[in-house]
Amino acid sequence: MSESTSTNEQPLTALWASHKRWLAKLLQLGALESKIWLTSSAQLLALMCGMLMLLTSAWLLTLAMVAVLLWQAGLPLVAVMALMVLLLLLSAVLVYGVIRLTLQRMDISRSLELLLHSQEDE
């Protein structure tokens, strides 16, 4: 009986060892993928910050160009500056609106409700 038991245990031990090696390789692959994603995400964030700086500079230079053109056209400097402040405030309000809309779409309550309803159905 002990020979029969030991012969049955050998394939199970080998199967368990192969599954442990497979799981270890799978976890290593997951760790490697997460490192790649983290590095790519950091690089993408840096590129987005650079793009934001360029776009902000371009917007301010455009406003400065319009201000100079209006001043050259004969508008008083105080009126030109007031108009530029109003344009900057309007653009800030528009960006704030986009941020609010994005934050509203990021609400997880719908996902949470779907998850809770699916758990209740089970």
Side-chain angles (χ1 to χ4, degrees), residues 22-79:
W22 174 79
L23 184 60
K25 287 181 182 180
L26 184 67
L27 291 175
Q28 288 173 350
L29 178 63
L32 181 63
E33 285 290 326
S34 65
K35 286 179 185 177
I36 291 170
W37 273 88
L38 184 63
T39 304
S40 297
S41 297
Q43 184 180 16
L44 184 61
L45 182 63
L47 289 171
M48 288 171 42
C49 287
M51 185 63 141
L52 181 64
M53 293 297 291
L54 288 172
L55 288 172
T56 303
S57 299
W59 174 243
L60 292 175
L61 285 173
T62 302
L63 287 179
M65 184 180 64
V66 169
V68 168
L69 289 175
L70 290 174
W71 183 57
Q72 289 291 327
L75 258 70
L77 190 57
V78 174

